[in-house]
Amino acid sequence: MARLRVGVLLSGRGSNLRALLDACADPDYPAEIVLVVTDRAKAPGLAVAAVAGIPGIVVPHSARPAFATGVDALLRDRQVELVCLAGFMRVLDASFVEAWRDRMVNIHPSLLPAFPGLGAQRQALAAGVRFAGCTVHFVRPEVDAGPIIAQAVVPAQPNDDEASLSARILEVEHRLYPLALRLIAEGRVRVVAEKVEIDGWRAPAITVLNPCERLRDQL
Ligand code: GRF
């Protein structure tokens, strides 16, 4: 079966791109990354793309509509079917978001709808939450909003700072994004009344408390 053609937009490090590329390296994985676009010529993610032999294209950020038009042309030219935002730090033009409605997803390092926007992990620590995590969702014009596809939860630890919590969340981002992309590429995900339905969806049968007082509670 043909693999889903994916374009990735990023602005930085590219560790989520790497996680997606690792998943795509499996010939049985139902998606392939055909294009990486960035607004930052110095984005380390470009090197991640290059190592994998994926074209990485810099579109310098100009006015928001002009940028969107340029990116849209590149995506269409490469016959991209789904856009994955992976650390893309710009707000996209609303008409671009509309054109890619339900065909563009994002990963955000919080359990949305809590803590949208910049510094999600810092916001979570400031709020004193006991659990944090990440969300893959379809993109809507509002920042970090849209139907939720998948989430992963990690505990907040008593001595966490922004770096330790971010690292714990990032680890599960690298598992969650390939999972969400696989479900989409298998054609199992659809948006109904602004909520996501997934064919064959199973949720874990565990509940976790934090704090937990006995060691066996932590297993
Ligand atoms: C991740 O934390 C992602 O959730 C957020 O931006 C960060 C990108 O990291 N949207 P990387 O560039 O994928 O390493």
Side-chain angles (χ1 to χ4, degrees):
M1 212 178 102
R3 305 169 98 196
L4 187 76
R5 296 174 66 83
V6 174
V8 174
L9 267 60
L10 58 77
S11 303
R13 180 174 56 183
S15 71
N16 277 289
L17 168 64
R18 185 178 291 116
L20 293 175
L21 286 167
D22 286 348
C24 293
D26 178 348
D28 291 334
Y29 192 77
E32 61 177 329
I33 294 170
V34 296
L35 177 67
V36 172
V37 178
T38 182
D39 58 315
R40 282 192 50 228
K42 292 190 172 150
L46 280 174
V48 176
V51 166
I54 311 289
I57 299 181
V58 182
V59 180
H61 200 270
S62 45
R64 200 176 279 171
F67 177 80
T69 307
V71 174
D72 190 68
L74 289 169
L75 295 169
R76 288 179 196 281
D77 186 55
R78 291 289 291 157
Q79 286 145 21
V80 166
E81 298 168 287
L82 182 85
V83 176
C84 288
L85 304 183
F88 183 70
M89 298 308 285
R90 302 273 182 181
V91 175
L92 285 159
D93 192 64
S95 60
F96 178 90
V97 175
E98 214 34 64
W100 290 90
R101 190 182 180 88
D102 298 344
R103 294 186 301 144
M104 178 157 60
V105 298
N106 179 43
I107 187 158
H108 182 73
S110 79
L111 296 171
L112 290 173
F115 315 129
L118 291 175
Q121 304 93 332
R122 192 168 58 241
Q123 294 183 54
L125 285 174
V129 297
R130 295 297 185 248
F131 290 100
C134 55
T135 303
V136 177
H137 63 97
F138 285 108
V139 176
R140 294 293 180 261
E142 305 77 42
V143 172
D144 300 323
I148 291 168
I149 301 163
Q151 294 186 305
V153 177
V154 300
Q157 299 290 359
N159 299 321
D160 265 337
D161 58 15
E162 198 181 340
S164 62
L165 183 61
S166 299
R168 193 173 309 122
I169 295 171
L170 193 64
E171 237 183 89
V172 288
E173 289 186 40
H174 297 161
R175 294 168 55 193
L176 191 71
Y177 217 173
L179 166 66
L181 177 56
R182 181 170 62 73
L183 295 173
I184 295 167
E186 287 172 349
R188 295 166 58 187
V189 174
R190 59 192 173 275
V191 181
V192 180
E194 286 299 88
K195 283 196 206 161
V196 170
E197 293 180 0
I198 303 175
D199 292 335
W201 172 29
R202 289 172 49 194
I206 50 159
T207 301
V208 184
L209 310 187
N210 185 9
C212 55
E213 289 190 293
R214 290 162 307 183
L215 186 61
R216 67 184 169 86
D217 293 340
Q218 296 178 29
L219 299 176

